[in-house]
Amino acid sequence: MNEISHKRTDIRRGHGSAERPVTAELWARESQVKSKAMLEGGNYEPTHQQVDYTRYFSPEFARQEQPKLFAKTWQLACREEDIPNVGDRVPVDIGALSFFVIRSAPDEFRAFYNACLHRGTKLCRKAGAGEEIRCPYHAWEWSVNGALKRIPSHWDFTSVTPRNGALPQVRLGRWGGFIFINADQDAPPLEDVLSVIPSHFADFAPERRYTKARFRKLLPANWKIAQEAFQESYHVVGTHPEGLPFNGDAQAQYDIYKTTYGHIGRQIVPSAVPSMHAAPAATSFEAAMASAMLAKSWHYPEFPLPELDPAGDLRAQLGAWMRAAYAAAYQRETTQPDSAMIDSTLYFMFPNFAIWLSELIPFVYNFTPHESDPEKSYFEVRLLMPCVEGAPRPAAAPCIEIGIAETIMEKAPEFGFLAIIFDQDMGNMPLIQSGIKAAAPSRNHSTLGAYQEMIIQHWHETLDEYLAA
Ligand code: FES
Ligand SMILES: [Fe+2]
């Protein structure tokens, strides 16, 4: 990692106690399996504690984000398993920008602007397949690699040659089974922007996983408001208080890894430990049992619950049990540390992609703007489960579209108890979007926590840099 180091000395990094330690202490004091990558902390702390509300609803601000942010950054397009056969394709809509990605050979993918060269018709409206790319309007045709194939009445278009008739491409990058695209030919390579993510996720191995469930929900809030609902665990006490007995939200660790081109935010919420906000009677033993029951009910129904010894090292016992359950379920051992098995660690890649390093909740998030309304956005979630060793890769789940007034629980119950938690988060969206517009003129900005909301701070700092460029 390049050394852009800026660490503040005046902020307090979480709030814990002897029985409910902050993440770093929890990891240091226990005999758990440790991961060097996980122990590598961030190198940067921002100072941007006020964010002007206008940027969450101004049409002018949203218009600028299109060419200056979304057309210049790496954007999640799809997973490789979404388009398993040559010719399979999916549209990638990011606000008014639209592209499509196609598998052009068994191990080759291409990304194109989603507009016909004749009169601009969208070439890919929904996921599809075929031997060519064919415009629905006048039937111009291209090969799956973008080469011009056929124009009806070609005699009438003498200026169109194979050279200028090929579909314009955008850049495409791959990591861990994910396909990202970037419309800026001069943008830094995907690897530089992913920064620490590939090394931290080496054992988690996203390339050996598949999309078991997936939804995309339309939200009545700006895409930044939606993403910010996940960039801190400070809201657990207000929004998900039932999680306090077994999640150390106040003891969470936040890191920012800032390099020349990369902006990664990380949030680690320890599980199997009560929150500092939980009632005094809550114990780590009950919290550890709750984690085990959650893991069993959702991922390991066949595996017997552990018999945890309350006098012993609870995290070491829980981590060992989770690795054994994992090995039985997926037919392969895992060397992942206790932190990956037990805690909830979420990595954000600027500007709108996030992935959990967590066997309990292995989700991937993507937040995209609405095509025309800055006060709406899309929240897409994938459940990225490990493939069973030796078995064929299961087909990727199709995307369930969830409307603005529908709940995730009713439309995507395969997300289990997390669907209820998502719906709690979603309930805040219209309140935030309308509340910021009702703010007193003297307080038309947010007041962010120095530590717990540092990812939000850094995202706005970085957004400002992109808009000023
Ligand atoms: S607009 Fe595509 S063929 Fe006419
Ligand atoms: Fe939440």
Side-chain angles (χ1 to χ4, degrees), residues 277-301:
H277 297 299
T283 66
S284 289
F285 177 74
E286 288 159 351
M289 281 311 294
S291 286
M293 283 189 277
L294 222 51
K296 177 177 166 62
S297 69
W298 211 28
H299 302 313
Y300 314 120

Side-chain angles (χ1 to χ4, degrees), residues 74-317:
W74 285 98
Q75 295 289 314
L76 176 65
C78 61
R79 292 262 313 163
E80 291 178 12
E81 72 261 18
D82 294 346
I83 42 178
N85 302 309
V86 173
D88 290 353
R89 74 228 35 206
V90 281
V92 184
D93 294 319
I94 308 156
L97 306 172
S98 186
F99 310 92
F100 65 100
V101 172
I102 192 162
R103 191 183 280 257
S104 51
D107 192 32
E108 183 190 80
F109 300 87
R110 296 188 189 234
F112 302 102
Y113 287 90
N114 200 355
C116 181
L117 299 188
H118 178 219
R119 279 162 55 190
T121 304
K122 239 176 206 183
L123 293 170
C124 181
R125 197 168 46 86
K126 54 183 176 42
E131 281 174 16
E132 63 277 311
I133 300 160
R134 187 174 199 259
C135 180
Y137 197 173
H138 311 93
W140 285 31
E141 274 181 20
W142 292 266
S143 305
V144 291
N145 64 7
L148 182 63
K149 204 167 166 185
R150 183 174 161 266
I151 296 180
S153 307
H154 200 162
W155 54 264
D156 209 18
F157 298 89
T158 49
S159 66
V160 182
T161 65
R163 200 184 164 82
N164 68 18
L167 287 177
Q169 297 186 38
V170 292
R171 289 167 67 196
L172 187 145
R174 295 161 68 180
W175 166 71
F178 293 101
I179 295 180
F180 293 88
I181 59 171
N182 194 322
D184 180 5
Q185 297 300 332
D186 299 322
L190 175 64
E191 304 81 74
D192 288 0
V193 172
L194 282 167
S195 180
V196 297
I197 287 183
S199 69
H200 288 204
F201 280 75
D203 291 338
F204 184 80
E207 66 280 3
R208 294 167 79 181
R209 292 170 184 264
Y210 73 103
T211 303
K212 187 177 180 189
R214 177 181 170 199
F215 70 80
R216 187 178 79 144
K217 176 156 168 57
L218 178 59
L219 302 181
N222 183 268
W223 70 276
K224 300 184 289 297
I225 286 178
Q227 177 164 252
E228 287 161 18
F230 298 91
Q231 288 183 315
E232 41 81 3
S233 60
Y234 178 52
H235 71 284
V236 170
V237 65
T239 301
H240 317 292
E242 65 286 344
L244 296 177
F246 33 85
N247 280 298
D249 57 341
Q251 303 101 293
Q253 176 171 321
Y254 296 86
D255 294 291
I256 290 169
Y257 304 85
K258 179 166 151 62
T259 57
T260 309
Y261 301 120
H263 301 276
I264 304 299
R266 176 173 77 167
Q267 173 192 168
I268 307 161
V269 183
S271 287
V273 63
S275 164
M276 289 300 284
H277 297 299
T283 66
S284 289
F285 177 74
E286 288 159 351
M289 281 311 294
S291 286
M293 283 189 277
L294 222 51
K296 177 177 166 62
S297 69
W298 211 28
H299 302 313
Y300 314 120
E302 311 294 327
F303 206 73
L305 275 172
E307 303 219 347
L308 301 179
D309 172 7
D313 181 334
L314 283 168
R315 285 173 61 90
Q317 296 173 65

Side-chain angles (χ1 to χ4, degrees), residues 1 51 86 104 111 130 136 143 239 280 306-307 310 313 344 349 353 365 397 423 469:
M1 191 164 59
V51 174
V86 173
S104 51
S143 305
T239 301
E307 303 219 347
D313 181 334
S344 303
M349 181 182 95
F353 170 76
Y365 297 161
D423 282 329

